[in-house]
Each structure stands twice: as structure tokens, then as C-alpha cells.
Amino acid sequence: GDSVTQMEGPVTLSEEAFLTINCTYTATGYPSLFWYVQYPGEGLQLLLKATKADDKGSNKGFEATYRKETTSFHLEKGSVQVSDSAVYFCALSDPNSGNTGKLIFGQGTTLQVKP
Amino acid sequence: DAGVTQSPTHLIKTRGQQVTLRCSPKSGHDTVSWYQQALGQGPQFIFQYYEEEERQRGNFPDRFSGHQFPNYSSELNVNALLLGDSALYLCASSLAGGVINEQFFGPGTRLTVL
């Protein structure tokens, strides 16, 4: 079945360092891809998305490009801040479930940014 | 504009009991999905409700059931609780026919089964 695999954490960086969190997926169709962020004690917030191959999603300095050839959607940020410390989830939408169908999540990657 | 709200925030139950969790979707949304997030894991899809009917279901046993009301709010019911049901239960709302899979999540209900 469809699945998402993320790099294991925790990832610990110093402020202003470059961030990459790897995400690869397996899907039978053409899913949309998402990055969600979860701050301590809160629900998930949509960070960015891409709906087709070669699309680049971006928000708050974060970027990710939908790479169909490598089935990847890696999250990047050029300069992280302490406030970026959170758990990041890569997800895909089940391509057979319509535009509001179920999301399939990776296991999450914890990012800790130190001052 | 209120976002997705869930109640209660925390809940403690014992094995074999039944529990009901509640969710109010974001204003203007008509579709509600429920997810279970075990500690240290990503959320797992339980089911989705639209027009007061279950539209999709994940790989969860029949002990998990739900309901959607005419005002689009939703309940998740879990019967015969097991220790393994301890998790954060997330509700997400969206608009059918809206921006592709723009799901908005609530803060969750933390269920502990003793």
C-alpha cells in the first residue's frame, strides 16, 4: 500500500544552520504531497504542499519540491530559528480518495534548534 | 473565525470502558476526518464523515465508530477500550470540492487507558 518514509530524528541544529529533512514515498497513483508541523501540545498545521510533479511548495522560508523520478519531497530551510523547533510530518493524500481523502503520514522527524 | 475545536482535552479511562470524543469543524467546512496518533508516531487515518455518512475508513476495528451531525460536528466512539487505544486523537476538517486536501487539524484529545 501507499506509504511515507522520513529520516529518523531527532535532528539538532544551531540557529541559522541549513535544514534538510528527507522524505520518500510509495504510491500507486499521483498523490499530492504535504509537510505538516506539530508544535508541543498542539495539533498539526499545514506547512506546505505540492500537487503534481516538479511543483515546489513554500511557506515561512521552508521549501520542498515534488520529485516524481526519485519519489521524494525533501523539506529544506536555509536558516533555521529556535522557533522552528517542532515535529515535522511528511504526508501524501491517497490518490484514490478524491481531493479531501485520507492523509498517509510518515513517522515524524523532531527538529531541535539551539541558540 | 474559530478553527477546529475538540473536547475534552484529556481523558482517562480504564480497559473495557467506552469513550466519546467530540469535534467541531472549522466554519464553512463540511467534512470531518479522525486520526489516531500514538506516542512518537505519525497520525493514522481512522475514518472520514461527509453528509452524515462514513465515506472512507482506515484499518481500524469496528470498536471505533463515529457520527456526523447536521451542523457538521462529529463524534468518535471507541468501545471496549484496550491499553493500546491510548493515543492523541486528532480531528481534521475540510471542504468537499475545496482546495485539494486542505485539511485543518484540531489540538486533539489525549486519551489514556489504564
Side-chain angles (χ1 to χ4, degrees):
Chain A
D2 297 347
S3 66
V4 175
T5 302
Q6 295 180 230
M7 64 185 288
E8 291 194 14
V11 174
T12 303
L13 296 173
S14 297
E15 207 165 22
E16 299 184 3
F18 185 86
L19 169 70
T20 299
I21 300 178
N22 290 338
C23 170
T24 57
Y25 68 91
T26 302
T28 53
Y30 300 95
S32 294
L33 301 174
F34 307 84
W35 277 100
Y36 280 84
V37 58
Q38 187 174 36
Y39 297 101
E42 298 184 13
L44 277 68
Q45 300 176 24
L46 177 63
L47 182 59
L48 53 84
K49 66 181 180 184
T51 58
K52 61 183 186 298
D54 299 326
D55 268 3
K56 177 185 282 188
S58 61
N59 186 29
K60 299 180 181 179
F62 291 90
E63 293 183 339
T65 301
Y66 190 142
R67 300 288 189 198
K68 188 172 183 299
E69 63 277 12
T70 55
T71 61
S72 65
F73 192 56
H74 304 322
L75 182 68
E76 297 181 336
K77 187 176 185 183
S79 177
V80 294
Q81 305 299 312
V82 172
S83 58
D84 294 327
S85 299
V87 182
Y88 292 81
F89 292 94
C90 184
L92 64 82
S93 64
D94 183 344
N96 298 313
S97 298
N99 69 329
T100 56
K102 71 177 184 181
L103 294 171
I104 297 169
F105 287 88
Q107 72 272 32
T109 302
T110 299
L111 170 65
Q112 184 178 24
V113 181
K114 296 186 174 181
Chain B
D1 177 25
V4 179
T5 60
Q6 294 186 241
S7 63
T9 306
H10 297 87
L11 205 51
I12 299 175
K13 293 285 188 178
T14 57
R15 280 177 297 175
Q17 285 190 310
Q18 178 265 345
V19 68
T20 297
L21 310 181
R22 297 177 175 82
C23 171
S24 291
K26 180 179 169 63
S27 178
H29 284 184
D30 56 10
T31 303
V32 173
S33 303
W34 287 92
Y35 292 81
Q36 180 195 66
Q37 185 180 13
L39 198 62
Q41 301 295 316
Q44 299 288 318
F45 177 79
I46 302 174
F47 42 54
Q48 182 182 83
Y49 277 83
Y50 172 67
E51 291 189 337
E52 302 181 46
E53 293 191 356
E54 184 181 291
R55 186 161 71 169
Q56 296 183 75
R57 189 177 183 91
N59 190 25
F60 279 80
D62 292 345
R63 298 186 298 109
F64 289 78
S65 63
H67 189 76
Q68 186 179 34
F69 299 93
N71 67 352
Y72 307 118
S73 66
S74 177
E75 289 182 348
L76 163 65
N77 301 292
V78 187
N79 294 322
L81 284 167
L82 303 175
L83 295 179
D85 295 332
S86 295
L88 180 67
Y89 288 85
L90 296 166
C91 169
S93 74
S94 55
L95 177 63
V99 177
I100 189 163
N101 240 329
E102 190 87 43
Q103 296 194 25
F104 291 78
F105 283 80
T109 294
R110 172 73 63 188
L111 172 65
T112 302
V113 182
L114 301 176

